[in-house]
């Protein structure tokens, strides 16, 4: 495993290693003999990145791997310019062999782009969540997709717990009141509750979802629930006293707080929509740090403004960067609160950046040496999907 990562709670059988080999003779020849192009799509760090070298996931600090890539005789192109046919991403993808993208500023590798990318062999996600790659097309084009599994799962789990608390306790309007110079306790207390005694459920109980449950235990919630097509091992669910609910509508109808912690794939796109929101308890809170497109943008905004949801918080958006007029930036519940949205940063704390930068380097190192990859990092391997987390098939 990548050094410094927490050991996964689960045994490897839950995240089975693919039986297929992770390298081929043709890969060895290509990687070891020719100069290749490594293309990285990262976000602009600006002044902050110049002042803070630990902002490794930025265009300025280049994941800290330029010297490593160039010392092996390869070309390293780093850009944030990723949208449209004239972008640096679209221009360089046609002859890149390695693509590195970060979910925080995703280079959307569509089926069309994959067809143009004649040299592409491996996509590496600097972080966790590879939905920005058309995974089915990667499978058919025998392009490997890897991510640095586990690299930021604690970072996100902490953010989830914080977001649950800030919604339930009505923190944001209370802080805004203080900044305005006002002081009217009743106005914020009328929508503030304790987390103790509430029912909290996670959609997805993998690395992040499970860590959220672990962190919620000391809050003495009434019950912790999970909804996931993969059941937790008995020992794991017992340790967090979590009950599995197999029907999604039944699950949401029992929760005061729902947190979304599953990957984005065909089975989860738009999962939380107008129809499902009708089954939520009136005034429930919803936290989504998984992927914006799992929740229908307009359905969520309507549910918050009607009060069907008391609030929505998270850091992920259906398009990133989110447009200035995105309704999730400003939506409010009928009492003027209930919005805990931030830019996509829960999984990119400085601690997480060190881990995923290291992880990218070690995936690249394995690729260059034609060594097998760590099985838990492989989303698409040579034999197709190597994970069960991106949908049931
Ligand atoms: P994981 O693979 O360990 O766990 C995912 C879990 O979701 C699995 O148990 C899987 O069975 C379950 N799942 C898949 N489809 C489901 C469905 N239709 N319904 C219910 N459960 C389903 O992944 P993880 O490390 O916990 O990360 C989960 C996701 O969180 C990532 O794919 C990514 O999209 C997101 N993420 C966000 C950030 C951030 O900064 N906001 C950072 C890391 C990861």
């Amino acid at each position: 495993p990548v050094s410094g990562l927490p050991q996964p709670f689960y045994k490897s059988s839950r995240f089975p290693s693919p039986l297929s080999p992770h390298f081929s003779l043709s890969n060895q020849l290509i990687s070891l003999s020719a100069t290749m192009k490594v293309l990285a799509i990262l976000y602009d760090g600006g002044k902050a990145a110049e002042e803070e070298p630990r902002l490794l996931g930025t265009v300025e600090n280049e994941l800290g791997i330029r010297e490593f890539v160039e010392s092996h005789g390869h070309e390293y192109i780093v850009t944030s310019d990723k949208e449209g046919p004239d972008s640096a991403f679209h221009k360089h993808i046609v002859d890149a062999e390695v693509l590195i993208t970060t979910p925080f500023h995703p280079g959307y590798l569509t089926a069309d782009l994959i067809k143009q990318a004649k040299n592409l062999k491996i996509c590496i996600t600097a972080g966790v969540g590879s939905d920005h790659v058309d995974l089915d097309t990667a499978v058919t084009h025998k392009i490997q997709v890897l991510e640095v599994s586990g690299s930021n799962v604690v970072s996100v789990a902490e953010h989830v717990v914080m977001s649950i608390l800030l919604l339930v306790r009505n923190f944001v309007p209370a802080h805004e009141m203080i900044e305005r110079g006002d002081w009217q306790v009743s106005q914020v207390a009328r929508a503030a509750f304790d987390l103790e005694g509430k029912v909290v459920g996670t959609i997805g109980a993998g690395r992040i979802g499970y860590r959220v449950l672990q962190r919620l235990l000391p809050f003495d919630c009434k019950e912790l629930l999970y909804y996931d097509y993969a059941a937790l091992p008995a020992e794991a669910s017992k340790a967090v006293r979590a009950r599995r609910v197999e029907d999604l509508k039944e699950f949401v109808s029992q929760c005061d707080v729902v947190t979304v912690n599953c990957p984005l794939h065909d089975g989860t796109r738009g999962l939380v929509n107008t129809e499902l929101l009708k089954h939520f308890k009136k005034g429930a809170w919803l936290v989504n740090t998984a992927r914006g497109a799992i929740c229908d943008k307009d359905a969520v905004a309507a549910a918050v403004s009607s009060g069907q949801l008391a609030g929505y918080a998270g850091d992920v958006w259906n398009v990133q960067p989110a447009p200035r007029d995105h309704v999730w930036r400003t939506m409010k519940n009928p009492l003027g609160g209930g919005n805990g949205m931030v830019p996509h940063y829960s999984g990119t704390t400085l601690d997480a950046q060190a881990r995923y930068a290291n992880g990218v380097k070690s995936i690249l190192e394995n690729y260059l040496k034609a060594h097998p990859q760590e099985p838990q990092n492989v989303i698409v391997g040579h034999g197709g999907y190597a994970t069960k987390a991106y949908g049931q098939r």
Side-chain angles (χ1 to χ4, degrees):
V2 177
S3 61
L5 289 188
Q7 285 301 309
F9 181 87
Y10 311 105
K11 306 277 182 266
S12 56
S13 61
R14 186 165 158 77
F15 303 103
S17 76
L19 295 174
S20 56
H22 293 289
F23 61 94
S24 66
L25 183 61
S26 60
N27 261 350
Q28 289 183 51
L29 293 176
I30 291 162
S31 301
L32 299 179
S33 61
T35 294
M36 65 179 186
K37 181 183 275 188
V38 178
L39 171 62
I41 312 298
L42 301 173
Y43 55 88
D44 288 318
K47 191 163 174 277
E50 283 159 26
E51 291 172 2
E52 177 49 82
R54 290 174 298 176
L55 280 166
L56 286 166
T58 57
V59 165
E60 291 77 4
N61 297 325
E62 306 180 312
L63 292 165
I65 56 170
R66 177 168 290 283
E67 202 185 317
F68 168 75
V69 174
E70 291 182 345
S71 69
H72 285 76
H74 301 301
E75 190 186 0
Y76 188 35
I77 309 282
V78 180
T79 180
S80 64
D81 179 23
K82 68 184 181 80
E83 300 300 338
D86 298 328
S87 64
F89 174 34
H90 289 218
K91 186 176 138 226
H92 286 290
I93 195 68
V94 297
D95 59 351
E97 181 169 333
V98 178
L99 172 68
I100 302 169
T101 57
T102 177
F104 307 102
H105 185 73
Y108 296 105
L109 190 66
T110 58
D112 274 355
L113 275 187
I114 290 180
K115 285 171 199 154
Q116 293 169 39
K118 301 290 182 208
N119 286 349
L120 191 61
K121 298 281 185 306
I122 179 169
C123 299
I124 307 173
T125 301
V128 171
S130 299
D131 50 276
H132 52 276
V133 176
D134 186 315
L135 295 174
D136 288 342
T137 311
V139 169
T140 55
H141 283 65
K142 302 204 173 348
I143 294 168
Q144 297 181 76
V145 181
L146 286 98
E147 58 189 42
V148 191
S149 292
S151 57
N152 52 17
V153 295
V154 167
S155 322
V156 179
E158 288 185 1
H159 194 100
V160 171
V161 174
M162 175 185 78
S163 300
I164 291 174
L165 283 169
L166 71 80
L167 287 181
V168 171
R169 306 201 58 94
N170 205 24
F171 176 85
V172 175
H175 178 72
E176 287 169 347
M177 171 184 287
I178 284 302
E179 281 204 2
R180 278 198 311 272
D182 293 345
W183 184 287
Q184 211 171 4
V185 173
S186 59
Q187 205 171 317
V188 287
R190 68 182 292 183
F193 297 85
D194 298 339
L195 184 54
E196 184 182 72
K198 304 296 181 289
V199 177
V200 185
T202 174
I203 299 179
R207 295 175 181 86
I208 296 173
Y210 190 76
R211 281 164 178 76
V212 170
L213 296 173
Q214 283 179 315
R215 280 156 183 74
L216 288 175
L217 257 190
F219 285 93
D220 292 328
C221 293
K222 184 173 178 190
E223 225 189 344
L224 298 179
L225 306 180
Y226 77 97
Y227 169 83
D228 194 319
Y229 53 67
L232 282 167
E235 178 202 359
S237 58
K238 194 168 159 226
V240 292
R241 300 201 288 275
R243 177 168 64 88
R244 182 179 181 204
V245 181
E246 291 190 49
D247 179 84
L248 184 57
K249 288 178 182 161
E250 252 177 56
F251 167 84
V252 298
S253 72
Q254 296 175 44
C255 292
D256 297 298
V257 182
V258 174
T259 152
V260 184
N261 298 294
C262 57
L264 174 63
H265 54 74
D266 286 348
T268 59
R269 187 175 298 275
L271 188 69
V272 182
N273 54 23
T274 305
E275 172 54 24
L276 188 67
L277 283 161
K278 287 185 195 150
H279 295 269
F280 277 59
K281 277 191 189 172
K282 178 146 179 74
W285 296 275
L286 176 59
V287 171
N288 175 16
T289 54
R291 284 296 177 260
I294 296 171
C295 297
D296 181 280
K297 170 174 74 80
D298 297 321
V300 163
V304 171
S305 65
S306 73
Q308 172 61 12
L309 285 179
Y312 182 89
D315 66 330
V316 285
W317 304 72
N318 56 334
V319 181
Q320 293 190 184
R324 293 187 83 87
D325 62 352
H326 197 293
V327 63
W328 286 3
R329 288 182 186 261
T330 50
M331 62 189 175
K332 296 274 193 292
N333 66 23
L335 295 177
N339 187 328
M341 289 307 294
V342 293
H344 192 173
Y345 85 113
S346 71
T348 190
T349 58
L350 294 182
D351 301 295
Q353 297 200 35
R355 291 189 294 260
Y356 67 66
N358 255 338
V360 167
K361 188 176 172 196
S362 89
I363 291 170
L364 211 46
E365 216 158 15
N366 288 335
Y367 179 71
L368 291 175
K369 292 180 179 161
H371 284 173
Q373 298 287 355
E374 297 291 344
Q376 77 270 15
N377 289 340
V378 185
I379 304 302
V380 173
H382 288 300
Y385 279 91
T387 172
K388 291 185 174 166
Y390 281 79
Q392 291 169 295
R393 53 179 66 76

